[in-house]
Amino acid sequence: MPRRDGGGGEARGPGLWFRVSAAWLVVLVLAAALADLLPLKDPAATFRGVSRDGPSAEHWFGADGIGHDVFSQTIHGARRSLAVATVATIAGLVVGGALGMVAGYYRRALDTAIVALLNVMLSIPGLVMALALVAFFAPPGTASPQRQTVWVAIALAILAVPAIARVARAQTMIWAEREFVLVSRTMGARDLRIMLREVLPNVLPAMVSFAFVGLAVLIVVEAALAFFGIGDVTGVSWGLMIHNGRAQLDEAPHTVLFPSLFMFLTVLALNVLGDRLRDKSDTRERGI
């Protein structure tokens, strides 16, 4: 029998958009991770006679102004864009989750201090703060590409912390008052054990669902930083491809179209997955 939700309607399973989004992300991640093993052209190689040529049987996405294969660069560029944003999201999930849970569990002065810190972080425009951090700690032209990439990831992680912390705090305040938590306190369990064993498993689904949406935002921010020439400009990423292709947009629009399209589809897929996971988290919170 199909399970019904609180309003009397039938509970829906994963829809078509969810499956398509999940499939897109799986294929993209596998292609990016195995790009060196796939029969792709060298993304750094220049091919004669195809400068700014459009899509063809030989070059599926065409070639850029100096003969690079756009398809190969798009696949290899996904590796850096996804890796940097994913690492930053995981770091933001750990740090922001810890701050939010501590604030929501202990409340009072500690909660006030943490909330004030989060509000200060949220008051600073994200892209401006990321530009300032990377430009100060890893100046373009002087810092090594590895150092620039590390500081881009750190800047993105800092951007992820306050939003994730607010979600963790709100969820912790709900679950910390449930009966099973009060029973654990009565039995003398330590606060750390209660937070890790009782509260965290219930808070984590909401944090993870929000992290998917946050990951989509960080992918766009990473591309924006690369577009402005911040970070490692020696490799391949979607932002760099868009930056390099803007000068030839009139004659070779495909050099910007395909990396932009891949980024758009990836961000859309992450939002669809995040919305679906949020719906499941809300249903679980209502006890259905």
Side-chain angles (χ1 to χ4, degrees):
M1 293 290 293
R3 184 169 55 86
R4 295 181 177 273
D5 58 24
E10 294 185 357
R12 296 174 297 175
L16 176 61
W17 280 111
F18 178 86
R19 295 190 180 93
V20 172
S21 299
W24 168 262
L25 291 175
V26 169
V27 172
L28 182 65
V29 170
L30 289 177
L34 304 176
D36 293 333
L37 303 178
L38 296 176
L40 301 175
K41 294 178 171 58
D42 184 353
T46 56
F47 298 88
R48 296 182 178 179
V50 297
S51 176
R52 302 185 182 182
D53 282 2
S56 64
E58 183 67 18
H59 302 278
W60 293 354
F61 289 179
D64 64 10
I66 57 177
H68 291 140
D69 184 79
V70 175
F71 177 73
S72 179
Q73 287 205 328
T74 301
I75 299 300
H76 281 83
R79 176 186 298 177
R80 175 175 152 189
S81 297
L82 292 175
V84 172
T86 300
V87 170
T89 301
I90 293 174
L93 196 62
V94 173
V95 177
L99 287 174
M101 288 186 63
V102 168
Y105 186 84
Y106 289 105
R107 313 278 182 93
R108 298 182 180 178
L110 190 57
D111 180 31
T112 302
I114 292 177
V115 169
L117 174 63
L118 299 178
N119 288 337
V120 170
M121 296 175 67
L122 287 171
S123 67
I124 304 174
L127 186 57
V128 173
M129 183 172 69
L131 285 168
L133 284 173
V134 179
F136 182 80
F137 290 103
T142 58
S144 65
Q146 294 78 11
R147 180 180 175 85
Q148 293 180 33
T149 301
V150 168
W151 274 103
V152 167
I154 292 175
L156 296 182
I158 293 174
L159 295 183
V161 165
I164 293 177
R166 289 169 70 94
V167 173
R169 173 180 175 270
Q171 289 292 311
T172 301
M173 293 175 69
I174 294 173
W175 290 101
E177 300 300 326
R178 294 295 176 93
E179 292 78 4
F180 58 88
V181 175
L182 299 178
V183 169
S184 295
R185 288 176 182 167
T186 303
M187 295 178 64
R190 296 181 177 180
D191 289 342
L192 181 60
R193 183 187 184 280
I194 294 176
M195 292 173 67
L196 294 179
R197 297 287 298 273
E198 308 292 348
V199 179
L200 180 60
N202 295 290
V203 172
L204 194 59
M207 291 171 53
V208 171
S209 65
F210 186 82
F212 273 93
V213 180
L215 175 58
V217 174
L218 294 187
I219 288 176
V220 176
V221 175
E222 189 277 336
L225 292 175
F227 181 83
F228 289 123
I230 301 296
D232 180 10
V233 296
T234 62
V236 181
S237 72
W238 290 337
L240 278 175
M241 293 181 67
I242 297 171
H243 170 77
N244 295 331
R246 62 176 181 170
Q248 48 195 313
L249 192 58
D250 292 337
E251 299 179 6
H254 58 274
T255 59
V256 173
L257 172 63
F258 288 110
S260 300
L261 179 62
F262 267 58
M263 184 166 61
F264 166 76
L265 292 176
T266 302
V267 169
L268 177 62
L270 288 169
N271 276 279
V272 170
L273 263 63
D275 287 344
R276 175 61 184 173
L277 293 175
R278 183 190 61 190
D279 291 342
K280 294 187 66 175
S281 174
D282 291 344
T283 300
R284 183 173 181 271
E285 184 180 329
R286 292 195 301 267
I288 298 175

